[in-house]
């Protein structure tokens, strides 16, 4: 099977790496890809948001399967175009991708499916903002109703900060979603979904805030780890049966069945799991940690999902141990990042450790340059989280990029047993 992976970040680098481990995959093309993928896949230039260009490339390289990584092409309907050309595609239709593209649509689906989520209100006019804010608090959750690359959310106890963010979004022409605050630690659960068939992968936890101790503004994600030692195993079953399957069934009922990766972001509170958000694709940076532990052929799982045969596929197998992803970010990220600086220290292989490229480019003389906000990911696995953390931080310390920064506490609270689920109400 020849696979075309659409995207250029660390998530796609992790997908390419896992696909290359699949004996059933004969070749991988990454478009546009990044310098880190060059040894693993043929790189081809493409506009990921051009249906015509993606279909032409998939046809040219004789792809048996197209895997679309980022959310924007999915929301724009690139998967529909690939399937219309007769090529198997891993990724939902534009209609189904609305579960990420419109938070209001996702809320409507959850309400119909009877799924617990935060109370919410959509504001689309500046004159309604103050009255709506009065219905929330003392912690305000203010979200961009559309796609915002993980950075359109403000969670604050400062009403003025909440108002400023909402007003800024409205000024940009974006509807605002106000939500009640959900208590409890957050979990990312990725599920392969083929209509009403749901196959969960390992649960992970993302670290969204830029600074240690979950301080500073939200980012696209500064690191992640899996598995979650504080999460009871039965909770995954509870999430699948009580959240993902009802949502998948509701999508089928609406005539927009989901096919691909449905990502449920949840808060595990005193009343059980409640949905924070849904995404229509593999999450970044959780995917990097999850796939590091996958012991099954990834290509076979993705192809089965894309061709409607997931129910017949073998359940995913996982390696023992744990994996940690640490993100190296450019100076000033998540603001406007500094780019174009030389990166050193990425060469050389370390056991159980990978350096994945997220935002890099090559200079004419072969020097590796920073080219985005999140520049590199270091992913390490170990017998437990403590060992995986030790390997990841030893590796990232050897990488040099002027002005760069990374969190030093990824998975630390889990290692130190400082995460707990709030006690259930009596």
């Amino acid at each position: 099977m020849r696979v075309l992976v659409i995207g250029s970040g660390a998530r796609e680098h992790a997908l390419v790496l896992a696909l290359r481990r699949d004996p059933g995959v004969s070749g991988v093309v990454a478009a546009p890809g990044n310098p880190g993928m060059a040894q693993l896949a043929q790189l081809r230039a493409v506009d990921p948001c051009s249906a015509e260009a993606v279909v032409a490339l998939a046809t040219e390289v004789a792809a048996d399967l197209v895997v679309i990584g980022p959310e924007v092409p999915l929301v724009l309907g690139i998967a529909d175009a690939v399937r219309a050309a007769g090529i198997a595609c891993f990724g939902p239709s534009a209609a189904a991708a609305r579960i990420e593209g419109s938070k209001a649509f996702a809320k409507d689906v959850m309400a119909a499916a009877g799924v617990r989520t935060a109370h919410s209100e959509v504001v689309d006019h500046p004159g309604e903002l103050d009255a709506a804010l009065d219905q929330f608090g003392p912690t305000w959750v203010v979200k961009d109703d559309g796609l915002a690359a993980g950075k359109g959310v403000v969670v604050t106890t400062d009403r003025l900060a909440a108002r400023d963010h909402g007003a800024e979004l409205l000024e940009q022409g974006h509807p605002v979603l106000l939500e009640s605050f959900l208590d409890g630690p957050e979990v990312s659960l990725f599920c392969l979904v083929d209509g009403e068939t749901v196959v969960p992968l390992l649960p992970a936890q993302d670290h969204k805030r830029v600074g240690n101790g979950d301080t500073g503004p939200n980012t696209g994600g500064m690191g992640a780890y899996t598995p979650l030692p504080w999460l009871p195993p039965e909770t995954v079953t509870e999430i699948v049966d009580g959240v993902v399957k009802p949502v998948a069934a509701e999508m089928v009922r609406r005539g927009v069945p989901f096919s691909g990766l449905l990502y449920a972001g949840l808060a595990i509170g005193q009343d059980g799991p409640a949905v924070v958000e849904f995404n229509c694709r593999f999450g970044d940076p959780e995917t990097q940690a999850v796939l590091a532990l996958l012991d099954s052929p990834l290509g076979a799982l993705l192809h089965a999902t894309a061709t409607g045969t997931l129910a017949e596929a073998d359940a995913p197998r996982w390696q023992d141990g744990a994996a940690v992803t640490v993100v190296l970010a450019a100076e000033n990220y998540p603001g406007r990042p500094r780019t174009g600086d030389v990166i050193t220290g990425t060469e050389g292989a370390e056991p159980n450790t990978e350096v994945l490229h997220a935002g890099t480019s090559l200079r004419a003389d072969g020097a590796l340059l920073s080219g985005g906000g999140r520049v590199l990911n270091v992913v390490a696995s170990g017998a437990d989280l403590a060992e995986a953390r030790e390997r990841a931080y030893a590796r990232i310390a050897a990488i040099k990029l002027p002005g760069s920064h990374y969190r030093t506490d990824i998975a630390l609270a889990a290692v130190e047993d400082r995460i707990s689920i709030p006690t259930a109400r009596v």
Side-chain angles (χ1 to χ4, degrees):
M1 178 167 59
R2 286 178 58 77
V3 183
L4 170 61
V5 176
I6 301 296
S8 61
R11 166 185 49 214
E12 288 77 31
H13 194 163
L15 287 165
V16 167
L17 192 63
L19 287 165
R20 284 300 305 267
R21 295 196 297 261
D22 183 343
V25 173
S26 58
V28 180
V29 178
N34 64 44
M37 301 183 203
Q39 301 303 312
L40 302 167
Q42 178 189 354
L43 303 188
R44 295 293 298 269
V46 78
D47 176 358
C49 295
S50 167
E52 183 180 0
V54 172
V55 169
L57 179 60
T59 303
E60 180 189 340
V61 302
D64 301 294
L65 174 66
V66 176
V67 178
I68 301 176
E71 61 272 25
V72 174
L74 293 168
V75 170
L76 292 175
I78 305 304
D80 300 89
V82 172
R83 278 190 282 268
I87 303 168
C89 186
F90 183 85
S93 65
R98 288 182 67 205
I99 200 156
E100 178 172 2
S102 168
K103 294 177 179 64
F105 173 78
K107 289 288 187 182
D108 188 58
V109 169
M110 285 185 273
V115 169
R116 286 188 66 242
T117 186
H119 167 67
S120 65
E121 182 176 342
V122 176
V123 179
D124 56 12
H125 189 279
E128 301 169 355
L129 182 58
D130 281 308
L133 286 168
D134 290 341
Q135 304 303 311
F136 294 85
T139 298
W140 285 269
V141 181
V142 186
K143 297 182 175 181
D144 188 330
D145 184 54
L147 298 177
K151 292 175 283 187
V153 181
V154 164
V155 180
T156 180
T157 56
D158 183 338
R159 188 184 188 284
L160 182 59
R163 189 187 189 285
D164 287 347
H165 184 58
E168 181 182 357
L169 291 174
L170 289 166
E171 188 176 332
Q172 295 168 359
H174 298 195
V176 171
L177 186 78
L178 301 179
E179 286 187 340
S180 57
F181 179 70
L182 295 172
D183 66 327
E186 292 196 7
V187 171
S188 299
L189 184 65
F190 299 165
C191 293
L192 300 172
V193 176
D194 164 18
E196 294 194 42
T197 301
V198 175
V199 176
L201 306 184
L202 289 180
Q205 188 176 59
D206 187 10
H207 294 63
K208 280 289 188 188
R209 302 275 190 159
V210 71
N212 284 354
D214 293 326
T215 57
N218 267 355
T219 70
M222 293 298 293
Y225 66 95
T226 189
L228 311 181
W230 49 269
L231 187 72
E234 61 269 20
T235 305
V236 171
T237 303
E238 185 181 353
I239 294 168
V240 170
D241 292 343
V243 174
V244 185
K245 284 185 176 179
V247 164
E250 174 62 17
M251 299 285 277
V252 170
R253 190 191 71 78
R254 292 177 179 225
V256 287
F258 194 95
S259 172
L261 194 291
L262 187 58
Y263 163 155
L266 310 109
I268 312 299
Q270 56 188 357
D271 294 324
V275 175
V276 175
E277 65 177 354
F278 278 109
N279 290 336
C280 65
R281 38 72 195 182
F282 278 104
D284 184 348
E286 301 100 316
T287 297
Q288 291 84 300
V290 170
L291 292 185
L293 297 182
L294 181 65
D295 207 26
S296 296
L298 178 63
L301 284 168
L302 302 187
H303 190 265
T305 306
T307 55
T309 59
L310 182 60
E312 303 158 26
D314 293 335
R317 300 184 308 275
W318 302 97
Q319 300 173 24
D320 294 333
V324 171
T325 304
V326 182
V327 173
L328 181 76
E331 182 177 346
N332 200 42
Y333 179 79
R336 183 182 295 276
R338 172 174 158 173
T339 59
D341 290 308
V342 174
I343 307 165
T344 59
T346 61
E347 307 81 7
E350 296 290 336
N352 305 107
T353 306
E354 297 285 350
V355 177
L356 304 181
H357 291 226
T360 64
S361 62
L362 284 180
R363 202 165 62 190
D365 62 1
L368 186 65
L369 303 179
S370 59
R374 294 187 293 176
V375 181
L376 297 167
N377 292 184
V378 171
V379 184
S381 57
D384 53 25
L385 280 175
E387 185 174 61
R389 266 180 50 82
E390 183 180 345
R391 287 173 173 168
Y393 281 110
R395 185 68 186 89
I396 203 167
I399 299 172
K400 305 303 177 187
L401 170 63
S404 63
H405 58 97
Y406 56 89
R407 282 183 59 160
T408 60
D409 65 346
I410 304 301
L412 183 59
V415 169
E416 295 180 346
D417 197 23
R418 290 190 281 112
I419 301 178
S420 60
I421 297 171
T423 305
R425 290 191 178 101
V426 178

